[in-house]
Amino acid sequence: MKRFLFALVLGCTLPDYVFAQRVVDVHLVETIDVVSVARGGDRERTYVLDDTHLTADADLARLVGWQGATAHVDVMSTMGGRPNGAAGTLQGVDSIEVASHHVRLFEAWVEQRIGQHSTVRAGAYDLNSEFYVNGAAGLLLSPSFGAGSELAATGPNGPSIFPSTALTVRVEHRFGDIAYARAAVLNGAAGCLGDPHGLDFSFRDGLLLIGEAGIERPGLKIAGGYWRYTKRHDDYTEVDADGVPLQRVDHGGYAIAELQLTGGEGKRSLTVFGRAGMSGGAATPFQGGWQAGFLVERLIAGRPDSQASFGMSRGVTTPGYRAVLLDAGARPSRAETSFELTYSDQLATWLTVQPDLQFIADRGGVEKARGVVVGTLRLTIAF
């Protein structure tokens, strides 16, 4: 499959004028992670993970005369091991680790502009591309710095985030260059073409509704959001007198912020970020959590692409989950906490290298569980 993706990019036969006028942009990005669970896991070994994306973005007005419309397609292929099996954490240790490997149509949507400030987007869509996003945390590898764990663990197959998306309609309105409001209606069950059950058109698991509003400009973002499922799901632990799980409505909210403290265009800059989320805490192990950290860009003089980031993440568990641990003879902690330090630099126009180190305390939500150290070397190859 990977040879096919490379051949498709290198051998593309679209007319020259299409690319010359930037009507269609095609990109291939391959991410390779070499991950070592260095201490505290059930076994010590090294894993190799691979995540390849072939994307195409088209200006439909210039391509087919559809005024105000653009299209985006992302075909994804994943391979490799599962290091979290050795690390034994609740929130995971690598953002490209997946439970099963398939070639997927990860995203395929069309966006229509309405007036000067509004857009509507419809299709298979990654929720975390626009909602619950701290841009300054994007360099960190832990999944907890993507969508918060209290949202990422919801739904029958997770929400519409990596590695499986769902059919979505998203509406956004911009208030000048400062503020925005956006909302989306998503299929409550994630599943895209290439998954074992494919794309779900039945909507039998209801809908996921989400809205977010905030202030956003270069160097500053302050926003808040709320999400809610329309269909009830099984409680994580509680059952009725017949042993049938009680039905609960998953819902929650979050706040995100980031601020550039120093630097500017072409200079070394320091940006701090923080966010927190809460949920009803009935259908997942997570009641909420928070993340905080900083990003330094242009860290080394003469290396404009050198970056370093530090982040701390804390996933707060539910009373129900802690009760399960007690029943199993473990002493539960209120939360699992992770620390991450990473550095990234572009060594060639097509190659970025990123060493990363994580330490996870109270892993699995067990108090004083032996901490685990995870070292990763990420290689990103982009054309």
Side-chain angles (χ1 to χ4, degrees), residues 19-263:
F19 291 99
Q21 298 180 22
R22 310 294 290 180
V23 175
V24 178
D25 282 328
V26 179
H27 296 281
L28 180 69
V29 179
E30 180 175 14
T31 302
I32 302 170
D33 285 354
V34 182
V35 185
S36 177
V37 180
R39 179 172 65 87
D42 297 328
R43 48 184 176 172
E44 298 179 3
R45 57 172 294 184
T46 298
Y47 302 81
V48 178
L49 294 78
D50 184 283
D51 178 36
T52 301
H53 289 259
L54 177 64
T55 63
D57 292 275
D59 182 340
L60 297 183
R62 299 167 69 183
L63 190 63
V64 297
W66 184 350
Q67 297 302 314
T70 58
H72 172 79
V73 175
D74 183 347
V75 178
M76 178 181 73
S77 173
T78 56
M79 294 186 293
R82 300 177 63 183
N84 198 50
T89 76
L90 278 175
Q91 300 186 95
V93 296
D94 194 290
S95 59
I96 65 171
E97 180 178 345
V98 297
S100 59
H101 299 291
H102 306 280
V103 177
R104 295 175 169 92
L105 181 61
F106 181 58
E107 286 194 292
W109 48 256
V110 173
E111 180 177 278
Q112 176 67 54
R113 179 166 293 281
I114 302 173
Q116 293 296 315
H117 302 291
S118 300
T119 59
V120 178
R121 184 177 294 183
Y125 164 82
D126 177 11
L127 165 70
N128 197 217
S129 65
E130 295 185 307
F131 292 88
Y132 214 155
V133 179
N134 264 125
L139 196 64
L140 298 165
L141 305 190
S142 171
S144 62
F145 294 102
S149 299
E150 79 284 353
L151 171 58
T154 61
N157 191 33
S160 181
I161 60 174
F162 179 89
S164 296
T165 52
L167 291 175
T168 303
V169 175
R170 188 276 285 152
V171 179
E172 179 182 84
H173 182 78
R174 290 273 173 176
F175 302 89
D177 297 326
I178 299 177
Y180 70 93
R182 67 173 64 102
V185 179
L186 308 99
N187 191 337
C192 52
L193 293 176
D195 282 330
H197 300 292
L199 194 61
D200 176 35
F201 291 96
S202 71
F203 291 87
R204 59 181 172 272
D205 290 298
L207 302 171
L208 169 59
L209 312 177
I210 187 168
E212 181 179 306
I215 298 170
E216 185 177 41
R217 60 176 178 79
L220 173 68
K221 180 175 182 178
I222 301 174
Y226 177 77
W227 54 270
R228 185 182 185 90
Y229 283 86
T230 62
K231 186 173 181 178
R232 295 176 180 271
H233 297 110
D234 291 350
D235 190 281
Y236 192 74
T237 55
E238 293 189 22
V239 297
D240 62 18
D242 297 322
V244 178
L246 297 178
Q247 298 292 294
R248 308 291 191 188
V249 174
D250 277 346
H251 66 101
Y254 59 88
I256 53 181
E258 58 185 64
L259 174 65
Q260 183 176 305
L261 297 178
T262 64

Side-chain angles (χ1 to χ4, degrees), residues 219 260-271 297-298:
Q260 183 176 305
L261 297 178
T262 64
E265 187 69 27
K267 299 179 181 180
R268 180 184 300 162
S269 65
L270 170 64
T271 302
E297 298 178 276
R298 293 171 290 278

Side-chain angles (χ1 to χ4, degrees), residues 323-349:
V324 170
L325 291 180
L326 276 174
D327 290 343
R331 184 177 178 182
S333 169
R334 180 169 174 76
E336 178 183 86
T337 306
S338 67
F339 305 87
E340 182 175 353
L341 179 65
T342 194
Y343 171 80
S344 174
D345 202 353
Q346 186 173 332
L347 302 187
T349 57

